Amino acid sequence: MIIREVNINDAYALSEIYKYYVDNFCYSFEYEAPSAEEFAGRIKEIMGKYPFFVCEDNGEIIGYAYAHKFKERKAYQWVCETSIYVKNGCTQRGVGKLLYDNLLPALKKQGFVKVFAVLGCPNEGSEAFHRKMGFSLAATLPDIGFKHGSWHDVKYYVLGLNEYHDNMPEPLEYREINILRQ
């Protein structure tokens, strides 16, 4: 398995991985999965500012992880959110760990102080994975999303990356640190 940076040509494969979870689970609160074209737009919006990695096994994309803005307001700029998805049938093979082993150091190097994983629940597998990666439960918002005929919680898992201090510089854009090319 190899980890590499995303490119626009990955949009179809990534949208298919994501579609399985949108259609079958409450992990994402989207009701309809984005098309490959919409996913390409998301890739363009994220790449450069935040890291976005894919995992390939024998040339097939089997997972992806990226970071993105946590909230719109400027005061949140030192915090980001992660998203990670592994192709159905490819879980429990270390794909998520490989992806986060690249994503989290990049975010730290960019200067983010905290990273959140926001999970639609129930999602025992992702909760266990995030705890294993060092995240801790920060908050639970009960019955906040309605999908597939029932109400679901959202859980916020958090991981500290850098220490807070006065006069912190703004986080760098990913293109400024680009760890895979060093």
Side-chain angles (χ1 to χ4, degrees), residues 9 16 19 21 30 35-36 53 61-62 64 66 79 93 95 104 106 124 143 149 158 160-161 165 169 174 179:
N9 295 328
E16 287 297 303
K19 179 178 179 4
Y21 292 99
E30 290 194 76
S35 67
F53 300 117
I61 296 173
I62 60 170
Y64 65 92
Y66 63 90
V79 177
R93 292 177 42 194
V95 176
L104 299 175
E124 294 85 7
D143 298 327
V158 64
L161 298 173
H165 56 83
Y174 177 68
I179 65 169

Side-chain angles (χ1 to χ4, degrees), residues 44-179:
K44 286 178 189 174
E45 186 177 319
I46 292 163
M47 61 191 286
K49 181 160 178 84
Y50 297 95
F52 195 140
F53 300 117
V54 298
C55 179
E56 284 186 352
D57 189 20
N58 294 318
E60 177 189 10
I61 296 173
I62 60 170
Y64 65 92
Y66 63 90
H68 52 95
K69 190 181 290 188
F70 177 69
K71 297 282 184 186
E72 290 298 318
R73 305 291 186 262
K74 183 86 169 166
Y76 292 113
Q77 69 183 315
W78 294 276
V79 177
C80 62
E81 182 180 334
T82 62
S83 291
I84 183 167
Y85 289 91
V86 176
K87 185 176 181 178
N88 181 41
C90 296
T91 59
Q92 304 297 316
R93 292 177 42 194
V95 176
K97 183 176 181 336
L98 282 172
L99 287 163
Y100 264 18
D101 283 350
N102 284 272
L103 186 72
L104 299 175
L107 297 171
K108 181 178 176 86
K109 192 169 184 181
Q110 283 181 261
F112 290 102
V113 294
K114 286 185 181 179
V115 59
F116 281 92
V118 181
L119 310 178
C121 292
N123 194 344
E124 294 85 7
S126 190
E127 288 188 73
F129 168 74
H130 282 90
R131 285 191 302 270
K132 184 177 177 182
M133 295 302 298
F135 287 70
S136 59
L137 181 63
T140 300
L141 306 178
D143 298 327
I144 196 167
F146 187 83
K147 186 173 177 184
H148 296 309
S150 61
W151 289 96
H152 299 281
D153 297 349
V154 167
K155 294 186 180 181
Y156 284 75
Y157 278 81
V158 64
L159 176 69
L161 298 173
N162 289 300
E163 296 294 321
Y164 288 100
H165 56 83
D166 293 339
N167 301 314
M168 290 189 69
E170 293 184 8
L172 298 171
E173 292 193 358
Y174 177 68
R175 71 177 124 245
E176 296 177 80
I177 62 137
N178 207 333
I179 65 169

